[in-house]
Amino acid sequence: MKAYDGMYIDGAWRPAAGPDVIEVVNPADEQVIATVPAGTVEDVDAAVRAARAARLAALRDVLQARREEIAETVTAELGSPLKLSQTVHAGVPVAVAGSYAELAAAHAFEERIGNSTVLSEPVGVVGAITPWNYPLHQIVAKTAPALAAGCTIVVKPAEDTPLVARLFAEAVHEAGIPAGVFNLVTGLGPVAGQALAEHPGVDLVSFTGSTAVGRRIGAIAAGAVKKVALELGGKSANVILPGADLARAVNVGVANVMSNSGQTCSAWTRMLVHRDQYDEAVGLAAGAAAKYGDRIGPLVNAGQRDRVRGYIEKGVAEGARLVAGGLDTPHDRGYHVSPTVLADVTPDMTVAQEEIFGPVLCVLRYEDEEDALRIANGTVYGLAGAVWAGDEEQAVAFARRLETGQVDINGGRFNPLAPFGGYKQSGVGRELGVHGLTEYLQTKSLQF
Ligand code: NAD
């Protein structure tokens, strides 16, 4: 008789949670030939967690192994400089997939509330519609939590960046994720995107893109009473309070706007400076923008370039002062716009209200903190922002009053586990980390 020990979980034989065993009987002679542990709820839970996490860990590893190919693909279809593609476009998805491998293993999918056990169950089939500006990140920020939650997913990527989406589908296949769990359909927004949002078999629509399309998708989802998550546009403020390290705040602020050629929904496109420091800040911003020269990449397509150029013209026509960049570009090919700074922008101007989505920084003047707060909160958006002050407490006190989903305090770093999403018309729901995971879960309460 052999007494076998342990459960095979996460690549190793692990001791069973309970002491009970199952006897294996030879039916020819009725002898007990072996015993194996009798698994408990805890053993099953550990095994399921490992199974869930493993798929995501395998996906993370494939994304890591194919990083260079991913970076080159994003550079080819989006136009971002290769270094940015390597560090951000290829690097961040590895971190996000890895974070969900860990969360899948650690998250409590069951909790006890009084006399109830509350189960977190997958929402079901996810329809994901993504934009082109962080093309792989936006796919992974939906797919990884959907898989961690136990959902299945259909992705419709942006028309401009389908190649990295195809590469991701290959990575999913290579990672051994079962057939049908992840599906990719490339196509036009009003055709394939709309069909996905409207499909009765989709339980949750997760959309990242413009507020205009998001509004339509929200309406479609509401009509069918299905869950919807919307990550939309932004017009974030970089608030520099007196006492802050002005040069650092301006330089980091300019870098934030110019990165990815300004095609970042959370970019701090409005810099708010106290009137006593205004001229100095404008000079620093113009200098910092000029230093970029033609180091930033082109915009994604001719339409976006024309749109951004239109905003620069409109800004100047409404009274803004062009202090860097403008309509001239040293390139004779490609959809380039020079790093541009508009000074003397007032809160009511079009360029201070609408999302430009290009390398254009608006510098606004404020009188005092209350004025700065009014200006910062004075748009329909509320996605991100930054506050700089001499001491952290002062910056935090100001940040608490901002109507926005994320605020970087004195140059705080990006955190892939922190919830990302918008107040007001910047969206509904959150992505990343545990908050992103719960978007793909629904609860069932059992009362005892
Ligand atoms: P977009 O809204 O035009 O397109 C986004 C996606 O929606 C694409 O896949 C497109 O094909 C699809 N689409 C277009 N029309 C559709 C329709 N009628 N029905 C269904 N799907 C449709 O946006 P874009 O130009 O690709 O991206 C830029 C915008 O995205 C900016 O406004 C930016 O702020 C926003 N954005 C927001 C976030 C965020 O997390 N909040 C992140 C990135 C981009």
Side-chain angles (χ1 to χ4, degrees):
M1 213 268 311
K2 177 115 177 109
Y4 288 102
D5 199 12
M7 303 287 186
Y8 187 70
I9 296 172
D10 206 13
W13 290 97
R14 292 203 191 160
D20 295 346
V21 296
I22 295 169
E23 292 184 336
V24 184
V25 177
N26 182 333
D29 60 11
E30 301 182 29
Q31 294 293 307
V32 175
I33 52 172
T35 60
V36 295
T40 59
V41 172
E42 288 83 49
D43 293 312
V44 171
D45 188 49
V48 172
R49 283 169 188 282
R52 237 179 236 232
R55 299 216 182 277
L56 285 159
L59 182 58
R60 174 204 57 206
D61 293 345
V62 178
L63 292 177
Q64 171 68 20
R66 300 186 72 169
R67 246 174 108 147
E68 205 48 43
E69 199 183 342
I70 288 168
E72 282 165 14
T73 304
V74 174
T75 289
E77 60 186 352
L78 178 66
S80 49
L82 189 60
K83 189 146 177 286
L84 183 76
S85 297
Q86 287 163 333
T87 52
V88 176
H89 293 298
V92 174
V94 174
V96 171
S99 76
Y100 279 110
E102 282 170 25
L103 270 169
H107 188 70
F109 289 93
E110 234 182 89
E111 63 176 319
R112 193 80 195 172
I113 301 180
N115 63 316
S116 303
T117 295
V118 180
L119 312 176
S120 291
E121 299 184 342
V123 167
V125 177
V126 177
I129 301 170
T130 56
W132 44 263
N133 58 332
Y134 289 87
L136 182 58
H137 166 68
Q138 283 140 344
I139 291 173
V140 173
K142 298 187 191 309
T143 304
L147 299 195
C151 294
T152 54
I153 187 165
V154 178
V155 172
K156 204 302 279 176
E159 293 85 332
D160 288 293
T161 52
L163 301 182
V164 76
R166 291 182 64 90
L167 228 166
F168 180 70
E170 284 177 28
V172 165
H173 195 77
E174 218 177 294
I177 289 167
V181 169
F182 172 87
N183 310 273
L184 175 75
V185 178
T186 50
L188 300 179
V191 182
Q194 184 147 340
L196 184 57
E198 285 175 343
H199 200 293
V202 167
D203 301 296
L204 159 69
V205 184
S206 180
F207 170 82
T208 299
S210 61
T211 297
V213 176
R215 196 173 283 126
R216 291 177 62 128
I217 296 208
I220 293 169
V225 197
K226 61 174 73 161
K227 274 190 89 173
V228 65
L230 305 171
E231 297 287 352
L232 309 176
K235 191 72 194 173
S236 299
N238 179 16
V239 183
I240 307 175
L241 296 175
D245 178 342
L246 186 67
R248 181 154 175 259
V250 171
N251 282 327
V252 173
V254 170
N256 173 283
V257 173
M258 301 310 161
S259 177
N260 212 36
S261 305
Q263 302 165 121
T264 304
C265 48
S266 55
W268 314 327
T269 50
R270 296 177 299 148
M271 184 180 284
L272 274 55
V273 186
H274 188 267
R275 62 182 156 93
D276 292 345
Q277 296 179 307
Y278 189 78
D279 292 339
E280 188 184 351
V282 167
L284 287 166
K291 260 199 272 166
Y292 275 85
D294 57 358
R295 273 192 296 126
I296 64 170
L299 299 192
V300 70
N301 57 39
Q304 286 294 321
R305 179 205 47 201
D306 297 344
R307 188 165 166 257
V308 172
R309 287 169 64 92
Y311 274 116
I312 296 173
E313 284 174 326
K314 189 146 201 178
V316 172
E318 290 181 9
R321 178 163 53 99
L322 185 70
V323 294
L327 300 181
D328 295 336
T329 155
H331 301 271
D332 51 10
R333 277 183 83 92
Y335 313 120
H336 292 272
V337 174
S338 295
T340 295
V341 177
L342 294 173
D344 299 345
V345 172
T346 55
D348 53 320
M349 286 183 190
T350 308
V351 288
Q353 290 295 325
E354 295 183 10
E355 187 175 49
I356 298 174
F357 229 56
V360 182
L361 171 68
C362 297
V363 192
L364 291 90
R365 185 188 281 108
Y366 69 81
E367 295 295 318
D368 53 31
E369 271 199 34
E370 290 308 309
D371 192 31
L373 188 71
R374 244 189 327 270
I375 298 170
N377 286 338
T379 76
V380 296
Y381 295 113
L383 189 54
V387 182
W388 304 79
D391 76 276
E392 204 168 284
E393 260 174 53
Q394 191 195 357
V396 170
F398 192 92
R400 284 182 188 279
R401 301 169 75 198
L402 284 174
E403 296 163 357
T404 194
Q406 278 217 350
V407 186
D408 292 0
I409 304 292
N410 280 342
R413 279 176 303 121
F414 172 69
N415 175 4
L417 293 175
F420 179 84
Y423 279 35
K424 303 193 283 189
Q425 289 185 27
S426 285
V428 175
R430 293 292 179 269
E431 290 196 317
L432 303 182
V434 69
H435 292 264
L437 177 61
T438 55
E439 293 284 331
Y440 296 88
L441 294 166
Q442 56 191 343
T443 56
K444 179 184 288 168
S445 307
L446 309 181
Q447 279 61 246
F448 295 91

